[in-house]
Amino acid sequence: MIYRLLTGDDTSEFCHKVSDALGKGWELHGSPAYAFDAANGVMRCAQAVTKVIAKPYEPGMKLGQQ
């Protein structure tokens, strides 16, 4: 199993990023996180996703391409 943490500003782009991962077989892992970035004056989002893959995990893997 592999793990990714998707992050981004609270925009539709972030929602599209999560939707794209789900469409590629990733599954939501836990609840999303939402916090105010005071330094930049924006809301930030994070969502963990996991995926079962056939090959063993390697540190050099491009997780988004799995």
Side-chain angles (χ1 to χ4, degrees), residues 6 9 11-24:
L6 305 175
D9 292 348
T11 64
S12 63
E13 182 179 342
F14 176 76
C15 295
H16 287 290
K17 184 188 294 189
V18 174
S19 295
D20 182 56
L22 295 174
K24 292 178 178 174

Side-chain angles (χ1 to χ4, degrees), residues 2 4 21 24-26 51-58 60-66:
I2 53 177
R4 292 172 65 197
K24 292 178 178 174
W26 291 83
K51 186 175 185 180
V52 175
I53 58 172
K55 56 187 173 183
Y57 167 77
E58 296 176 22
M61 284 183 161
K62 300 281 187 191
L63 296 176
Q65 295 175 0
Q66 301 304 311

